Amino acid sequence: MLYLDQQGDRRISSRELSESLDVNSVMIRNILSLLHKNGYVKGNVGKNGGYQLLKSLDECNVGELYDLTIPPTISYARFITGKSNVMEETHPTEIADNIKETLNDLFTLADKDYRKFYHQFTLADIKNDIQNHGYFLNKFEKNSD
Amino acid sequence: MLYLDQQGDRRISSRELSESLDVNSVMIRNILSLLHKNGYVKGNVGKNGGYQLLKSLDECNVGELYDLTIPPTISYARFITGKSNVMEETHPTEIADNIKETLNDLFTLADKDYRKFYHQFTLADIKNDIQNHGYFLNKFEKNSD
């Protein structure tokens, strides 16, 4: 999106994006498709295809883009215990049977909180940090403990 | 740790933990080793080995345990563009060359923020939610937007 913004009115093909950013072209096309569906870019795929950014960078919220590209899942819940059916009789424990729901809730709440962090920023902030590296770190150094 | 706490003074082998929680025994031993090194459990490995929890659940901060078991890394920085050396001359762009540092900073700050979330809780809260499922959700429902 920064690249599209930088190129102004020129229509950029997914191939050019893939090559100049050195990002896998399948990922580029998937993301362009998502962005197109959600009104961030206009354009079309194909031989003479190309894309332009429809919004200014400060209208592109990083948190909204995060939500679009990485929808909430329970994939982050990695430390789940299995079903201890076999052992249940020999070692009755409420833990293995019930911790899954508890951790799912906790991870879901943590994930919501995590997403809030990104919602503080737009792509204009990202561009700002690229041009003046340290912008993000300085912003939080002041408030850090 | 909840299981160790539940078993009181009885020394629990890593095998029993692995079996009754249905968690991979290598993961159990790695975690026990970390917990031992950091003063959460006493005990030893081996044939007659076994472990006991040295702290009460409300002394075990979830965030501290998170930091112990999942140290800060840059492994979460997954959307990094490659080095576009080849294209640099044909399509000079500051983006591919500089976005890596910017995203690393942003992800690092987001990860710090994420860890803060877990530091609000102790294992006593986890036990509370296991016994009264919904404790975490209710806690945050009140404050949510």
Side-chain angles (χ1 to χ4, degrees):
Chain A
M1 292 171 79
L2 292 168
Y3 188 86
L4 292 182
D5 179 71
Q6 196 184 51
Q7 301 296 315
D9 285 342
R10 196 161 71 81
R11 289 165 69 204
I12 312 298
S13 69
S14 61
R15 186 177 179 167
E16 177 178 338
L17 273 170
S18 172
E19 286 177 352
S20 52
L21 302 176
D22 194 16
V23 172
N24 180 287
S25 62
V26 174
M27 186 186 272
I28 289 281
R29 282 198 297 273
N30 287 342
I31 291 175
L32 280 170
S33 163
L34 256 179
L35 294 178
H36 188 265
K37 206 187 298 175
N38 288 277
Y40 286 94
V41 300
K42 67 174 179 183
N44 53 284
V45 76
K47 214 175 182 180
N48 297 307
Y51 292 88
Q52 282 174 268
L53 196 62
L54 280 174
K55 302 190 180 197
S56 64
L57 294 182
D58 61 6
E59 292 173 315
C60 300
N61 183 282
V62 176
E64 284 169 21
L65 294 167
Y66 189 100
D67 291 341
L68 273 185
T69 49
I70 310 172
T73 64
I74 54 158
S75 67
Y76 43 82
R78 279 168 295 183
F79 291 103
I80 297 306
T81 63
K83 283 177 191 169
S84 56
N85 293 333
V86 183
M87 302 305 295
E88 207 165 359
E89 288 157 43
T90 36
H91 298 286
T93 165
E94 68 194 351
I95 298 166
D97 297 329
N98 296 308
I99 202 167
K100 188 176 171 173
E101 283 187 344
T102 290
L103 291 186
N104 273 350
D105 281 2
L106 191 63
F107 293 156
T108 300
L109 291 165
D111 185 64
K112 271 190 193 166
D113 199 65
Y114 186 64
R115 287 165 189 275
K116 267 187 203 161
F117 178 86
Y118 290 110
H119 278 267
Q120 301 173 82
F121 308 108
T122 70
L123 290 187
D125 295 305
I126 302 271
K127 186 179 178 183
N128 200 347
D129 192 276
I130 288 176
Q131 292 176 334
N132 310 286
H133 188 61
Y135 166 77
F136 284 128
L137 287 183
N138 291 334
K139 199 180 175 80
F140 284 87
E141 232 161 46
K142 293 171 200 160
N143 316 326
S144 81
D145 34 348
Chain B
M1 293 171 80
L2 291 169
Y3 188 86
L4 292 182
D5 179 71
Q6 197 184 52
Q7 302 295 316
D9 285 341
R10 196 161 71 81
R11 288 165 70 205
I12 312 297
S13 70
S14 61
R15 186 178 179 167
E16 178 179 337
L17 273 170
S18 172
E19 285 177 352
S20 52
L21 302 175
D22 193 15
V23 171
N24 181 286
S25 62
V26 174
M27 184 185 274
I28 289 282
R29 283 197 298 273
N30 287 341
I31 290 174
L32 279 170
S33 164
L34 256 178
L35 294 177
H36 188 266
K37 204 187 300 175
N38 287 278
Y40 286 95
V41 300
K42 67 173 179 184
N44 52 285
V45 77
K47 216 174 181 181
N48 297 307
Y51 292 87
Q52 281 175 271
L53 196 62
L54 280 173
K55 303 192 179 194
S56 63
L57 294 182
D58 62 6
E59 292 173 316
C60 300
N61 183 280
V62 176
E64 284 170 20
L65 293 167
Y66 189 100
D67 291 341
L68 273 186
T69 50
I70 310 174
T73 64
I74 55 158
S75 67
Y76 44 80
R78 280 167 296 185
F79 291 103
I80 296 305
T81 63
K83 282 178 190 167
S84 56
N85 293 334
V86 183
M87 303 304 295
E88 209 165 357
E89 287 159 43
T90 37
H91 297 286
T93 165
E94 66 194 353
I95 299 166
D97 297 329
N98 296 307
I99 201 168
K100 188 176 171 174
E101 283 188 345
T102 290
L103 291 186
N104 273 350
D105 281 2
L106 192 62
F107 293 155
T108 300
L109 291 165
D111 185 63
K112 272 191 192 165
D113 199 65
Y114 187 64
R115 287 165 189 274
K116 267 188 203 159
F117 178 85
Y118 290 111
H119 278 268
Q120 300 174 83
F121 308 109
T122 70
L123 289 187
D125 295 306
I126 302 271
K127 186 180 178 182
N128 201 347
D129 192 277
I130 288 176
Q131 292 177 333
N132 309 286
H133 188 63
Y135 166 77
F136 284 129
L137 287 183
N138 291 333
K139 198 178 176 80
F140 284 89
E141 232 159 46
K142 292 170 200 159
N143 317 326
S144 81
D145 33 352

